[in-house]
Amino acid sequence: MPDSNVSTEKQKDLKASVQKFASDLAEKVESFVTDISELEVRTYTITEGKFAAVLDDPKKKNDKVLSGEGVQLRAYTRIAFDSDTIVCLPVNESGQIDGAVWDMHQAAVNQALQNRAAMLRAIGDAAASALDALKKSR
Amino acid sequence: MADYRFTFSGLAVAETPDPFGVWEAPAAEIKAPPVPGLTWRAELPEAAAGLEAVHARLATLERGEVHLAQAEAELRAALETITPIAEEPVAGATTYAFSIPPEERFHPQKQALRNTLSGFAALEAPQMTGVVAFGAADVFAEDQEREGFQEAYRRWLAFVEQVRQLTSFASTVETLIAGERIGLTRVSWDGDFETFWVSGLATLSRETHRQNVNLVLASRVALLRLISVVAIGAGGLIAKSIALPPGGQVLLIPAAVRFISDVMAALREWDAAQG
């Protein structure tokens, strides 16, 4: 096939691809805003050498809470959009709060909160710019 | 530094270089895990040096963000140089001049942009009532125009795939020290976190993984910022009223993708050359 024909075909594909990209992005923003109504953070500990058995198992990919030999959910936080919060604290065998796990979990909660704010801003900007460019092109 | 590896893998991203220069494709023999999604993996020899390496990558990402801002400024500057010319070589035609002085710092990248735009214009021309040309005084060789278009097309497909994956799948962040996974965090697209730690992990190793997670989160946001810059740049090209048929202006988005990534790559090379 001559190059010019290939280019013409590609050009048609490209136009469709760009339009789909912008509309997909707008859809993503909508679903992102719906999905961030609550934030969940889970912290597990796992026995050394057991990562692969638990985490690389495709059968477990849709499990909300992972379980398996050597894996234990140690702490859980759920923060609703209106700031209602549920926290499950990690305790050790003697009933004391496990400081190391709690520190790790708190650090993860902070990262998750900061990430959500940054993503919300970034995805909003990206979608607004893409839609603006698309609007100008019509 | 050969002992450190920061890899990014997922469905069909291997050919897409990270525009920020932080992540690389994994070695061909390493298979992606069977669970769908993106995997960002830091392989480090030991915790202390590993933490330094993660910090160094964070600094690279920050420099990449500066490069992105510079690339955006260069695109704006390039837009300023696109001007309609008064003479109409063909009646009813709109002709634009896009002149790039040879001493211009980003001459090759701007030349590539001009070739891409000319390629688009040439492809669209048969459907138009008028004639569009960039740099009317110059005649572009057909193969240059075609090459510009095809390269923009290739980059565009890679970019779209990267964004699609970024906005569709969870990111898995893995930290390996001396070949052993010590921490793994899954971050869903909407921000839920699941973290898995090896029981009884040392503080330094925990900090290394935590910083690796920060690096991945910042990389995701930086890629979203890249989308904004590309779209704003394309909007600027469109606003120049480049005379493509209705709907054809949308093709300027891939031209902006190519230009931005070309300039960022050039800036990264200069940085590397300067040590």
Side-chain angles (χ1 to χ4, degrees):
Chain A
M1 187 183 285
D3 265 1
S4 57
N5 289 344
V6 172
S7 292
T8 307
E9 278 309 302
K10 280 185 175 173
Q11 182 254 347
K12 284 181 192 158
D13 292 349
L14 181 56
K15 197 184 287 184
S17 158
V18 173
Q19 280 161 343
K20 187 174 183 312
F21 173 75
S23 63
D24 282 357
L25 204 58
E27 223 172 84
K28 288 288 174 193
V29 177
E30 208 177 304
S31 74
F32 186 74
V33 171
T34 310
D35 293 346
I36 60 165
S37 57
E38 63 178 34
L39 181 72
E40 291 185 299
V41 179
R42 292 183 173 83
T43 299
Y44 298 81
T45 53
I46 198 159
T47 309
E48 202 166 352
K50 295 286 183 190
F51 267 96
V54 177
L55 298 171
D56 294 346
D57 184 350
K59 286 184 219 142
K60 293 181 185 288
K61 73 182 168 70
N62 294 322
D63 290 359
K64 195 76 179 162
V65 179
L66 278 178
S67 59
E69 193 193 339
V71 64
Q72 227 186 333
L73 176 61
R74 301 297 307 280
Y76 171 73
T77 298
R78 188 173 74 195
I79 303 171
F81 204 66
D82 59 4
S83 297
D84 270 3
T85 304
I86 295 171
V87 180
C88 299
L89 298 171
V91 293
N92 56 26
E93 284 165 2
S94 56
Q96 303 289 311
I97 291 174
D98 187 325
V101 175
W102 181 233
D103 285 350
M104 291 190 282
H105 182 69
Q106 277 191 306
V109 170
N110 287 335
Q111 276 182 318
L113 285 169
Q114 283 167 16
N115 175 58
R116 187 168 70 169
M119 286 292 279
L120 190 56
R121 209 168 33 241
I123 188 74
D125 287 351
S129 312
L131 289 172
D132 186 52
L134 200 65
K135 209 160 59 185
K136 281 180 184 160
S137 75
R138 284 187 177 136
Chain B
M1 295 295 280
D3 290 343
Y4 308 105
R5 280 181 64 80
F6 290 80
T7 56
F8 171 55
S9 60
L11 307 167
V13 290
E15 284 179 36
T16 316
D18 174 13
F20 296 91
V22 174
W23 303 89
E24 56 189 291
E29 68 272 15
I30 297 174
K31 279 188 180 172
V35 180
L38 306 172
T39 299
W40 312 68
R41 178 180 293 137
E43 295 171 71
L44 311 164
E46 48 95 20
L51 182 57
E52 275 180 34
V54 175
H55 282 145
R57 294 290 164 136
L58 278 162
T60 301
L61 181 62
E62 278 172 22
R63 277 200 304 280
E65 285 169 336
V66 172
H67 293 164
L68 177 60
Q70 258 180 283
E72 185 179 16
E74 287 299 331
L75 184 54
R76 282 181 201 275
L79 290 175
E80 294 300 312
T81 66
I82 300 177
T83 48
I85 55 173
E87 307 86 48
E88 292 187 355
V90 179
T94 309
T95 303
Y96 289 83
F98 184 1
S99 58
I100 312 157
E103 67 274 17
E104 155 67 46
R105 189 181 182 197
F106 294 98
H107 181 84
Q109 293 77 19
K110 286 178 182 170
Q111 187 63 44
L113 175 65
R114 189 165 74 161
N115 286 341
T116 304
L117 296 174
S118 301
F120 288 155
L123 283 161
E124 293 284 0
Q127 304 164 32
M128 298 175 62
T129 51
V131 173
V132 174
F134 273 88
D138 301 316
V139 176
F140 293 106
E142 265 189 35
D143 58 341
Q144 258 188 318
E145 294 170 356
R146 194 173 297 123
E147 196 182 298
F149 172 77
Q150 289 184 338
E151 178 60 14
Y153 178 77
R154 193 187 67 76
R155 301 260 194 106
W156 169 253
L157 291 183
F159 180 71
V160 167
E161 182 57 20
Q162 202 168 45
V163 173
R164 190 186 71 80
Q165 293 188 24
L166 189 69
T167 55
S168 301
F169 298 113
S171 286
T172 299
V173 187
E174 293 185 344
T175 306
L176 284 78
I177 293 181
E180 291 295 321
R181 276 195 276 197
I182 56 105
L184 185 149
T185 297
R186 280 185 190 155
V187 185
S188 67
W189 155 241
D190 55 8
D192 288 345
F193 265 51
E194 283 181 308
T195 304
F196 298 83
W197 298 99
V198 168
S199 306
L201 195 65
T203 309
L204 191 59
S205 297
R206 294 201 312 248
E207 180 60 10
T208 303
H209 178 66
R210 202 177 68 80
Q211 289 300 332
N212 189 28
V213 172
N214 275 339
L215 178 62
V216 171
L217 299 178
S219 298
R220 295 197 325 166
V221 170
L223 282 168
L224 288 171
R225 167 90 184 113
L226 178 64
I227 298 172
S228 300
V229 169
V230 161
I232 290 167
L237 287 169
I238 291 162
K240 278 285 173 182
S241 304
I242 290 164
L244 294 172
Q249 287 88 346
V250 84
L251 298 174
L252 298 170
I253 297 178
V257 170
R258 184 180 174 188
F259 180 79
I260 296 287
S261 61
D262 278 355
V263 172
M264 287 179 76
L267 287 166
R268 208 164 49 245
E269 275 172 30
W270 283 330
D271 264 11
Q274 285 164 8

